[in-house]
Amino acid sequence: ETGVTQTPRHLVMGMTNKKSLKCEQHLGHNAMYWYKQSAKKPLELMFVYSLEERVENNSVPSRFSPECPNSSHLFLHLHTLQPEDSALYLCASSQEPGYEQYFGPGTRLTVT
Amino acid sequence: DQQVKQNSPSLSVQEGRISILNCDYTNSMFDYFLWYKKYPAEGPTFLISISSIKDKNEDGRFTVFLNKSAKHLSLHIVPSQPGDSAVYFCAASMRIKAAGNKLTFGGGTRVLVKP
């Protein structure tokens, strides 16, 4: 595997379900990010982890819970989501102190 | 309040001609700017970037221009090729505390290059 991978690519879940999105980067980077892209809206930053420490939480509701067990892996735990949370969730990584972020293919999430 | 704006949602250009994509920003704290390209069902791919201390950066067919006083940047693609058809996102970066950087994205411009 190369670059940034995300699983699953598609996910349909009910409002009472608990699920997790997984991201893995194979680039040796030390910072990882979660972004959300809703229909007809720009990409929005959700969380930033640098050296496995969360350094930014962009006013994201607590039903989204990130976890970064090591510099290569990032999870987004989902719990009691709402239909308006349906979106494309993108993971990215970068090498600090660089600026370029490299993105995974995304997980298309539908909440029913 | 959108801090990074791409006012043209779409652009159509003939193969071989120049494509010019524009982006405006409002926050003078941004210190680095990037362009990404996105194909359907894929994540954004980094294309080219520019530091706020420069006014031009060139990489092959792609050139980014930055006008700090106008808070405006543009991406020139010349010559345009059919494979350049994609959605292009402008992004502006700001450092977060001591580590990591925060990208703020524009809404994207869909480019169609006609053969």
Side-chain angles (χ1 to χ4, degrees):
Chain A
E1 288 280 17
T2 58
V4 180
T5 57
Q6 290 185 242
T7 54
R9 294 292 309 274
H10 300 270
L11 178 62
V12 179
M13 59 186 287
M15 289 190 285
T16 57
N17 290 160
K18 283 186 182 182
K19 295 284 184 184
S20 296
L21 309 185
K22 178 183 175 183
C23 175
E24 184 173 358
Q25 61 94 1
H26 310 267
L27 300 168
H29 289 167
N30 56 14
M32 296 186 79
Y33 310 78
W34 278 116
Y35 287 86
K36 174 184 177 182
Q37 186 171 30
S38 305
K40 300 192 189 293
K41 291 178 75 173
L43 269 161
E44 297 173 86
L45 179 68
M46 298 176 74
F47 300 104
V48 180
Y49 276 84
S50 181
L51 300 173
E52 299 151 41
E53 178 187 345
R54 191 192 309 181
V55 296
E56 180 84 356
N57 175 344
N58 212 26
S59 304
V60 180
S62 59
R63 57 185 184 270
F64 294 91
S65 174
E67 179 191 0
C68 187
N70 56 62
S71 60
S72 299
H73 293 86
L74 186 65
F75 294 90
L76 188 63
H77 303 298
L78 314 172
H79 177 52
T80 58
L81 295 192
Q82 304 298 311
E84 59 265 27
D85 296 322
S86 299
L88 179 67
Y89 290 85
L90 289 156
C91 171
S93 70
S94 69
Q95 179 62 30
E96 287 300 296
Y99 288 90
E100 289 84 5
Q101 295 180 18
Y102 294 85
F103 285 81
T107 295
R108 174 69 63 185
L109 173 68
T110 303
V111 182
T112 60
Chain B
D1 179 35
Q2 224 174 313
Q3 297 187 63
V4 178
K5 286 187 181 178
Q6 294 176 253
N7 290 317
S8 298
S10 63
L11 173 69
S12 182
V13 65
Q14 206 65 37
E15 180 180 6
R17 305 298 289 269
I18 184 170
S19 295
I20 299 176
L21 291 82
N22 294 302
C23 178
D24 297 294
Y25 62 95
T26 57
N27 193 334
S28 57
M29 297 298 291
F30 291 134
D31 60 356
Y32 205 81
F33 302 89
L34 307 92
W35 284 94
Y36 283 82
K37 176 179 177 180
K38 186 179 185 301
Y39 293 117
E42 294 182 15
T45 303
F46 169 70
L47 198 56
I48 192 169
S49 61
I50 187 167
S51 165
S52 61
I53 62 172
K54 295 188 174 182
D55 55 17
K56 178 183 175 180
N57 186 28
E58 192 172 350
D59 183 2
R61 295 185 298 114
F62 302 91
T63 304
V64 56
F65 296 91
L66 175 62
N67 182 335
K68 277 186 69 177
S69 60
K71 294 190 174 69
H72 177 83
L73 67 155
S74 62
L75 174 68
H76 291 206
I77 307 172
V78 55
S80 300
Q81 299 174 354
D84 296 330
S85 297
V87 179
Y88 290 78
F89 293 97
C90 163
S93 178
M94 190 184 311
R95 301 300 297 177
I96 303 169
K97 299 172 186 173
N101 66 88
K102 177 175 180 174
L103 287 185
T104 302
F105 282 83
T109 296
R110 184 176 300 277
V111 173
L112 175 63
V113 180
K114 297 179 181 177

